Amino acid sequence: MSDGPKTVAEGGHAIESVLTETRTFPPPAAFAAASLVGSEAAYAAMVEKAEGDHEGFWAEQAGQLEWAAKWTRTLEWTAPDAKWFVGGRLNATASCLDRHAASWRKNKAALLFEGEPGDTRVLTYGQLHREVCKAANALGALGVRAGDFVAIYLPMIPEAVVAMLACARIGAPHTIVFGGFSAEALSDRIKDSRAKLVITADGGWRRGAIVPLKDNVDKALVGTGSADGGSPANAGVPGRAGGSPANAGVPGRDGGSPANAGVPGVERVLVVKRTGNAVAWGPKDVWWHDVVGTASARHVAPSFDSEHPLFSLYTSGTTGKPKGILHTTGGYLTGAAYTSKYVFDLRDDDVFWCTADIGWVTGHSYVVYGPLANGATVLMYEGAPDAPTKSRFWEIIERWGVTVFYTAPTAIRAFMRWGDEHPAAHDLSSLRLLGSVGEPINPEAWMWYRDKIGGARCPIVDTWWQTETGAIMIAPLPGATTTKPGSATRALPGIAADVVKKDGTPCGPNEGGFLVIKRPWPSMLRTIFGDHERFAKTYFGEIEGVYFAGDGARKDADGYFWIMGRVDDVINVAGHRLSTMEVESALASHPKVAEAAVVGRPDDLKGQAIVAFVTPRAGVTADDALATELRAHVTTQIGALARPEEVRFADALPKTRSGKIMRRLLREVASGSTARGDTTTLEDQGVLETLAQAYASDD
Ligand code: PRX
């Protein structure tokens, strides 16, 4: 943590209204009657069972999966190291595919796909199983072995699911990079994960345009030291910042610098044909349809140790270097399957739509592993919610008869802004349950979601969790829990969440503190790939003996959790997690920048928006053109999701006498308030005056 927890007011834009929120919504009787856990008493019994026999409770959940060999010990725990279902062996895809393909679900739809241009595909469990077997054989033929990492950089198309599951089937952990990340960010992740193979597509559709995924992979591989050596695809890619003087010597951003030489390289790039546009081609490149299309559909799933790595996924921490969060097979799948079943009250006739991209953990757990382990039907949509019109989502719900819809508050706020007429023009009566994830949902958006999308009949599950937790931790059980707009309600049975002070003592009702998890849970991260020390320090080193989530929260008198946002230097922009340091080091890699500091400020639509404070190098003119240039530079370095909303210039940044940037003051300046806090340690009082004058904010 930098300069201590943020105040409640800094936590998010909706906190004031959250503090006065008193409305409650018991589960509708009809919903409760038909649900898996249909009463407060049933919920209490589950909690009691889990508290009385924590390991027994989780063993029962794990028992819902398909195991090749049962575990001998449920848990081995020496903080911070957990092993779950020790000695057990399984193949994740046997639970997600084989057992369904061998049952009456063989011809049940597993995936309902709609592409942005309007093309559709349906894959039954039988068909998905065959595709995954073919892809598993193809990966094996390309030399991928158990334990090799595979990077996936694909659009939201069925092949993304097939690719993930094929990796899981052969024990090759996947590391998925969201298609909105730049070539530079992709390169960092490929290098850090030491991926041997990259799976991508010629492109993906986004608002009618093609996202040049293959081009980005080509650019990224130049930086991994694994370029095709003179192939037209990878040689001399123009416009790439890597290797330019901009990056030289900037710690933490080594794209293209000589430091990359000798990084173990990517051997193959497997390319799905999606958009049909021309792509450069090198000797490492292989078309998916050539190798997967011709592979055998027979593949016997080998079994792996319960603790065999299933995937790593990069997320932002407090430093400039993203963390590869590592999840393992038995525990992760248990958590994903258990939460999918109970939080979404999944039934065989549901059509479950989680709008997250598979590049985020939500896509891993609730587009793929969780629902498929339960034999559910999953809807998958490739494109943007406003393409071609702002009614696209509501058309999809009507067309496919979606019953459970899970999305993010930032999307809900955008829908509100676009106008009620869009959902009103569609028949949304198939919906029975709504979910929210990624950031605190403000009560106004919660009520709108309930009334305009859920027709005042669907319960809402506001689900709190993280990349690190692997699965939902705090959320209502929709048939049992009375909800309050803006609260994720209570911890799920089996999860020991609490709000504590820095010394670990519990906070009183409504007292703000740190959100912690007091007992290990199966889907918890096992390490940060390649940096176990950072893992131990970040998550178990802040508050003695417990998992520290990085969020501030309070519990009300009913024991309901109200999440107040991050207490560290992580910001949450439109549900995407970014580290201020990451954006700062991207800015600092620009030749015209002497120093940069980045903070989040409350934003009505995105939750938080990025404000960058920049000191240009001597002789550089600070003007709108420079602001535009810097914003574009961040887009190239990380991706559009990290582009600062606003850039402000000043000759110096506010620092303490010991040279530490006073972010608290910058946050106050960025949110438009005059610096209220203590400024006595500020070295140059004049600095604040300059910064308070917003300089440039374009497009
Ligand atoms: O600050 C919390 C916020 O998102 C962070 C986790 O981000 P990420 O790992 O990207 O995972 C997002 C999807 C699980 C948390 O530390 N967050 C997530 N869900 C909620 C939330 N904040 C409030 N309410 C939520 N329901």
Side-chain angles (χ1 to χ4, degrees), residues 511-526:
E511 194 184 343
F514 302 100
L515 182 59
V516 297
I517 313 294
K518 294 180 155 175
R519 299 177 87 165
W521 66 102
S523 63
M524 65 194 281
L525 79 167
R526 298 300 193 265

Side-chain angles (χ1 to χ4, degrees), residues 482-532:
T482 292
T483 52
K484 304 183 187 185
S487 169
T489 76
R490 297 170 300 201
L492 295 181
I495 300 299
D498 204 357
V499 178
V500 302
K501 299 177 194 149
K502 186 86 183 109
D503 65 5
T505 54
C507 291
N510 289 318
E511 194 184 343
F514 302 100
L515 182 59
V516 297
I517 313 294
K518 294 180 155 175
R519 299 177 87 165
W521 66 102
S523 63
M524 65 194 281
L525 79 167
R526 298 300 193 265
T527 193
I528 293 173
F529 187 69
D531 199 346
H532 198 62

Side-chain angles (χ1 to χ4, degrees), residues 315-316 360-362 366 406 409 436-441 462-469 471 474 486 488 515 549-552 562-566 570 572 575-577:
T315 190
S316 296
W360 308 112
V361 74
T362 309
Y366 301 108
Y406 187 33
S436 167
V437 61
E439 51 183 313
I441 179 166
D462 173 4
T463 63
W464 177 88
W465 60 296
Q466 307 177 295
T467 306
E468 292 87 341
T469 68
I474 301 176
L515 182 59
D551 280 325
W562 299 79
I563 312 296
M564 288 158 26
R566 302 289 305 193
V570 170
N572 194 329
H576 301 321
R577 214 168 128 174

